[in-house]
Amino acid sequence: MPRAEPVWRDGHRVLLLENGEAFYARAFAAIEQARREVLLETFILFEDAVGLALHERLVAAARRGVRVEVTVDGYGSPRFSDAFLRTLAESGVHFHVYDPRPTLFGIRLHIFRRMHRKLLVVDGARAFVGGINYSIEHLTVSGREALQDYAVELEGPVVADIHDFARTALQSPHAGERWRAPVAAPLLPRAGDARVRFEVRDNGLHRDSIEREYRHAIRGARERIVLANAYFFPGYRFLRELLRAARRGVRVTLILQGLPDEPIAQPAARTLYHTLVEAGVEVYEYGQRPLHAKVAVIDDDWATVGSSNLDPLSLSLNLEANVFIRDRAFARELSARLEALMRGHCTRMERDRLPIPTPLQRLLRPLVYHAIRRFPKWAGWLPAHTPRLVRLGAPR
């Protein structure tokens, strides 16, 4: 099956939103102002202060006649109270769970091919894309456990693409995998000067769409590459492009986790540090809170914000969504935010700070790297499982 080709759109307003404080204020206000439709996808929706605030706004929107469609992931959002679901259903909210599955002794085992996207489209005219879920852990009141992350608010023609995709994805678990952005320009009016492209990653037409755009931009980099990513363990081709960029004189900077929220994240990334630093890549670890970012800036006119990490799960198995932005003002703003992060809360992993690998480690590291990067392919040899999209409740 031929892969879907990219479509760039001109004429956008793009607003950078850092952490839950900025994101929830804008997203909740958009839902409160909705007149016709709210489409929301998220990996995590917890029944905490943030989840209940979202719940209140979704219920209110549905009660005033707005069509509300919500999809959460069955792994990321495993449990809801009967009262939480009943109120949604009684108000008319259409609530879907992507691939809900039973636990084994309380352990969730379905970690592959999760619906990891974070999308919100309101009235087909305003969209939000990024890495921020709906839980209190994205607010700084959570203290040292609060996640550092980003999203964007968009207005302009690309919102029609995001809206079309989100509507298509509601049809079945695999409908989005066959989606293609229309070649004709959407009818939405221009809202600014930014050029934007919406990309998804799935196991159908878009298997490597997000990674391909990253690699293409890295190959064309002239001066600067800054990647801030929570889970950094890319495949060989991605890593090769980064190393080549550094060796031809591009300043390549990685901002990675110093306080990991997942035990394997930091050790996996650190197996690459010697190779990266020896090639001239600047590696920083963010140590104030867990880094949950999935953003990048290249030169002064290319940026991306989305849900995709740079690890085997996001690049080869999960369902992801990113926007790619060509706009000098936006790239400068995101770059300035990341520079502030590095100056204030990051430790540079200098060559003399890295532990000298033993002969056994030098032997094992390439084997471990290739084993982990090939893991998604090996996982595909397991007995096939067909995900389900289950609608909970019975909205009237």
Side-chain angles (χ1 to χ4, degrees), residues 158-179:
V158 80
V159 175
D161 293 337
I162 302 170
H163 177 260
D164 187 54
F165 171 80
R167 293 287 300 175
T168 300
L170 287 169
Q171 297 172 13
S172 75
H174 299 295
E177 298 181 359
R178 299 186 292 271
W179 177 81

Side-chain angles (χ1 to χ4, degrees), residues 349-362:
M349 308 306 290
E350 304 278 6
R351 189 189 302 258
D352 57 5
R353 296 177 62 96
L354 301 178
I356 299 174
T358 66
L360 180 60
Q361 288 174 329
R362 289 185 181 275

Side-chain angles (χ1 to χ4, degrees), residues 41 149 152 157 198:
E41 292 186 347
D149 209 343
V152 291
F198 173 65

Side-chain angles (χ1 to χ4, degrees), residues 318-340:
N318 287 347
L319 310 184
E320 306 284 2
N322 274 45
V323 287
F324 297 94
I325 301 158
R326 304 300 298 263
D327 182 69
R328 291 179 182 273
F330 182 85
R332 282 196 300 268
E333 181 180 4
L334 179 54
S335 181
R337 302 277 187 101
L338 296 178
E339 287 284 352

Side-chain angles (χ1 to χ4, degrees), residues 210-228:
I210 292 174
E211 182 181 354
R212 276 192 295 115
E213 174 57 22
Y214 261 108
R215 295 202 315 264
H216 176 75
I218 292 169
R219 281 196 299 273
R222 304 178 303 276
E223 297 177 357
R224 183 79 192 274
I225 297 170
V226 183
L227 305 182

Side-chain angles (χ1 to χ4, degrees), residues 6 8 197 199 208-227 237-238 240-246 248 250-252 295-305 310 322-327 331:
W8 286 93
R197 171 177 151 203
E199 275 288 7
D208 64 347
S209 299
I210 292 174
E211 182 181 354
R212 276 192 295 115
E213 174 57 22
Y214 261 108
R215 295 202 315 264
H216 176 75
I218 292 169
R219 281 196 299 273
R222 304 178 303 276
E223 297 177 357
R224 183 79 192 274
I225 297 170
V226 183
L227 305 182
R237 290 184 295 175
F238 190 107
R240 180 184 62 191
E241 296 296 349
L242 274 184
L243 298 176
R244 284 178 173 175
R248 69 174 182 264
V250 176
R251 184 183 176 191
V252 180
V295 301
V297 181
I298 296 181
D299 292 332
D300 59 356
D301 64 350
W302 184 100
T304 187
V305 179
L310 298 175
N322 274 45
V323 287
F324 297 94
I325 301 158
R326 304 300 298 263
D327 182 69

